[in-house]
Amino acid sequence: MSSNRYTGGEIILKALADQDVEVVFGYPGGVTLPLYNDIYKQNSLRHVLVGHEQGGVHAAEGYARSTGKTGVAMATSGPGATNTVTGLVDALMDSIPLVCITGQVTSALIGNDAFQEADTTGITRPATKHNYLVKSTEDLARIIHEAFYIAANGRPGPVLIDVPKDIIMGMGEYVGPEGIEPRNYKPQINGDREAIEEAVDMLASAEKPIIYAGGGVINSGPEASQLLQKLVKMTGFPCTTTLMALGAYPTTDKQFVGMPGMHGTYEANLAMYGCDVMFNVGARFDDRVTGNTALFSPGSQKIHVDIDPSSINKNIAVDLAIIADATSFLTDFITIWNEKQPKLNHKAHEEWWKEIESWRSVDCLGFEQDSKADIRPQYALTQLSEALNGSDYYVTTDVGQHQMWSAQYIQFDEPNRWMTSGGLGTMGYGIPAAMGVQLAHPESSVVCVTSEGSMMMNVQEMATIAKEGLPVKILCLHNKVLGMIRQWQELFHENNESECDLSQGPDFPKLAEAMGFSAMVCEKADDVEGSIKEMLATDGPVFLLMHTDRMENVFPMIPAGAAHNEIVLGPNQKLVPADDKDNVMA
Amino acid sequence: MNNFYNDKVQDHTFSILVENEPGVLARVIGLLSGRGYNIDTLTVAEVDEEEGLSKITIVSSGTPMVLEQIRAQLERLVPVRAVSDLTVDGPSVERELALVKVAGEGESRVESLRIADIFRARAVDSTNTSFVFEIVGSTEKLDAFIELMKPLGLVDVSRTGVVAISRGAEPI
């Protein structure tokens, strides 16, 4: 027998080592016991025992999103595997590279309704980019390497490998990752040159251009963000980035007009509506961005660059489509632009910027904090952003009002610093994601902004964070209600607060202390700045419960099914009515 | 561009070459049902044993936007080697086979044989009171034949669904 033969468990660990995996988020179970015996015998791979498999997958997502590497999660068969499903779909929607290894009952028992058996590959088929049921230990190494290739190449996503117990215990040959790639999966990286030339001509001839960047720019690596900044600077054009792309372009820069979409800025949405050339790199015309597709940016020619051909013409028909990786495309685009030295219509652009500045002057995110009044979440997050400014920080969020305010009020000048559940909108994402981020960046400030509804969905991971000695800071905006639900009920459902009250919730500081966190409470506007600074300065995991105004709504807002020019401003912005079309379409 | 969003539903035939691995058919079908696309007919069989490839033929209907999505989504699946929308990629040949069981006596029995002859359908099973006809042709031809058999004692039909291939020398 050759010396290259190992048990399935050993093969898994060797393959993970060869894929440069440093940390795995997992939970053992009956069928993965032999694998965990192998994990016990080594110390190169860090295994984090999570509280729940969903938390493990979100932690792997946070790790992946903040490093650009592939995150790894492990679970046992049956309930372990089914618990990963939400995390897998979350990663699928937000294009996060993950490999999830699940145990399965012994091959001979598959289909017999064995103890802790579930049809994991069947259940996760639409939840993953691809999945495998391993039939022989001889295939295991190749499948793991192939899974890493698929997870990270093309449009990234989660790949699941279901490994029956007998395959983990059986013997097979180990092969390294060199030269292993799937037979059929060959994503197109470089865009068509003629199409890129056409894109240069289209953008150069624009009078009212907008550059609209999405999560694809972040997924392509930090170089893509630098290239995007170069492009925006050299053209002088306005830039908007989606929720998934915050940080791909510095949010503090003057050419940044804010985020587009349902809770995007007034200026970003009116620029999207009124532009004559829309230049989309790595965004997918999500319905939260487009609003009513029939009324979406009616007068513009649209260029769409995406690595995933199925994103083209899915929601919005475009005039020019280019299949490419963002880094490759932006490199080519800038080169061709420089070769062509196109003459720009500076006069038109001046007018366009004047128009944008008039929208910006509405100050759609403006707010006032009365020091005697309830703390406004906008104020709390502005203070958080200012306290973080200049430091090395990462922010994760959960889902709801606090997420939108975080997107609006926290500034990011670099990619991979902002982790949020965009596509799936998974409440319970923020705390485990922060754990993954902090593990990858032990010296950085990692703050999870959450609220009591989301927090309770994966609250058990607070114990994991404390157990692992991770100094994660959790800022919980405590409005005692499911805020986004209450907002929609107020605006669209007769103001009936149906099943959204959380005022009877647990004693959060006690809960946090029980989990191993230091707990702080802030109830007064005057204390916001100080308590946030104290939270950031305190060693170890810290939980800050920030009491906020229960009735606050997220504005601006484009109601579902409305067009961008029907954007609704907040009560503070009593300027030109947004639905005044003459104003919009000057 | 204008006709892209229009709601005019068309039938298209997709030819999909896939790795013959477990679950690949479930992947393809799950994709279509999960995204709300129609499957009018579906056939599948191994076509290249050496390479381990199967071919799936699907007839689906939808607006131009949906039909373009179906192709792009199918191409995204890892075990899919090639996808052709035969309806737009050039001329193709489509065939379907049906087995049609007709029960009856007397004049209607004779009449069913006469019509089968016109359609070049073959009787592949016969009893004193029934025939099973085998008929090959376009979907429309099979529909017409089955329609004519209804008053003559049609009792059961099995159809393969459409198989199709592009005309000319090139593979998919």
Side-chain angles (χ1 to χ4, degrees), chain B residues 148-163:
Chain B
L148 287 170
M149 287 298 132
K150 275 183 186 166
L152 303 175
L154 180 76
V155 289
D156 200 4
V157 178
S158 289
R159 297 173 71 149
T160 58
V162 170
V163 291

Side-chain angles (χ1 to χ4, degrees), chain A residues 463-501:
Chain A
T464 315
I465 287 169
K467 163 180 75 86
E468 296 290 325
L470 299 170
V472 169
K473 316 301 179 202
I474 297 178
L475 173 61
C476 178
L477 299 183
H478 186 43
N479 55 0
K480 305 182 187 70
V481 68
L482 291 172
M484 193 61 96
I485 299 293
R486 194 207 55 73
Q487 174 170 348
W488 282 57
Q489 287 171 340
E490 177 192 330
L491 298 176
F492 309 116
H493 298 280
E494 305 174 46
N495 201 15
N496 290 325
E497 290 194 4
S498 177
E499 298 299 323
C500 65
D501 181 67

Side-chain angles (χ1 to χ4, degrees), chain B residues 93-98 119 135-146 159 162-163:
Chain B
V93 187
E94 295 190 2
R95 286 292 180 271
E96 190 177 352
L97 182 145
F119 277 78
I135 179 167
V136 177
S138 68
T139 298
E140 294 72 26
K141 176 181 166 183
L142 268 56
D143 288 345
F145 180 71
I146 292 162
R159 297 173 71 149
V162 170
V163 291

Side-chain angles (χ1 to χ4, degrees), chain A residues 42-355:
Chain A
Q42 56 87 50
N43 50 19
S44 56
L45 179 75
R46 180 168 181 183
H47 180 282
V48 175
L49 175 61
V50 297
H52 185 284
E53 292 86 349
Q54 185 195 348
V57 180
H58 291 321
E61 283 189 277
Y63 179 91
R65 191 79 182 170
S66 67
T67 57
K69 294 175 67 176
T70 298
V72 183
M74 275 183 193
T76 190
S77 63
T82 57
N83 279 346
T84 67
V85 171
T86 303
L88 294 172
V89 181
D90 192 89
L92 184 70
M93 293 285 270
D94 285 347
S95 310
I96 311 292
L98 288 189
V99 169
C100 180
I101 297 172
T102 52
Q104 180 56 276
V105 300
T106 295
S107 303
L109 289 176
I110 290 178
N112 284 10
D113 297 329
F115 176 65
Q116 291 195 328
E117 181 186 355
D119 175 8
T120 301
T121 46
I123 290 167
T124 60
R125 209 170 276 132
T128 53
K129 183 173 173 186
H130 194 53
N131 63 16
Y132 297 88
L133 173 61
V134 184
K135 296 288 180 80
S136 158
T137 310
E138 301 290 352
D139 298 335
L140 188 55
R142 174 187 59 78
I143 286 176
I144 295 171
H145 296 310
E146 214 174 90
F148 273 88
Y149 180 92
I150 292 168
N153 283 275
R155 179 177 176 176
V159 180
L160 181 138
I161 309 168
D162 201 26
V163 194
K165 187 171 190 179
D166 54 309
I167 305 296
I168 296 175
M169 297 175 75
M171 298 294 287
E173 190 183 344
Y174 180 73
V175 291
E178 303 78 26
I180 292 187
E181 47 187 271
R183 274 211 294 178
N184 299 311
Y185 186 70
K186 296 185 172 60
Q188 185 176 337
I189 303 300
N190 299 317
D192 176 57
R193 184 170 166 111
E194 272 178 38
I196 300 174
E197 284 183 15
E198 203 182 328
V200 168
D201 293 342
M202 276 169 78
L203 190 65
S205 65
E207 295 184 355
K208 298 176 168 195
I210 180 97
I211 294 168
Y212 156 42
V217 174
I218 305 233
N219 277 330
S220 182
E223 194 188 346
S225 296
Q226 285 167 14
L227 291 164
L228 174 70
Q229 290 167 36
K230 192 171 168 187
L231 170 71
V232 174
K233 284 294 160 201
M234 77 189 204
T235 55
F237 293 166
C239 175
T240 178
T241 59
T242 65
L243 181 73
M244 297 312 297
L246 290 175
Y249 189 84
T251 56
T252 47
D253 188 83
K254 259 200 96 66
Q255 277 172 259
F256 183 68
V257 295
M259 180 176 81
M262 182 172 274
H263 294 297
T265 63
Y266 188 65
E267 52 271 34
N269 281 317
L270 294 195
M272 290 283 269
Y273 188 83
C275 67
D276 69 347
V277 174
M278 181 179 290
F279 186 84
N280 170 350
V281 189
R284 60 186 176 91
F285 293 110
D286 177 77
D287 59 274
R288 281 293 189 266
V289 165
T290 63
N292 185 337
T293 51
L295 301 171
F296 176 73
S297 193
S300 67
Q301 286 205 298
K302 297 172 187 76
I303 302 164
H304 189 183
V305 185
D306 206 295
I307 200 162
D308 177 6
S310 76
S311 282
I312 307 288
N313 292 336
K314 182 170 69 181
N315 301 329
I316 296 291
V318 296
D319 301 273
L320 176 63
I322 297 170
I323 306 301
D325 172 66
T327 305
S328 160
F329 166 77
L330 288 166
T331 306
D332 291 348
F333 186 91
I334 291 169
T335 306
I336 295 170
W337 179 282
N338 288 334
E339 279 167 20
K340 288 199 173 200
Q341 297 272 335
K343 283 235 165 10
L344 302 182
N345 189 341
H346 293 295
K347 204 165 163 342
H349 298 157
E350 257 169 54
E351 289 300 309
W352 177 229
W353 269 114
K354 258 188 219 161
E355 222 174 326

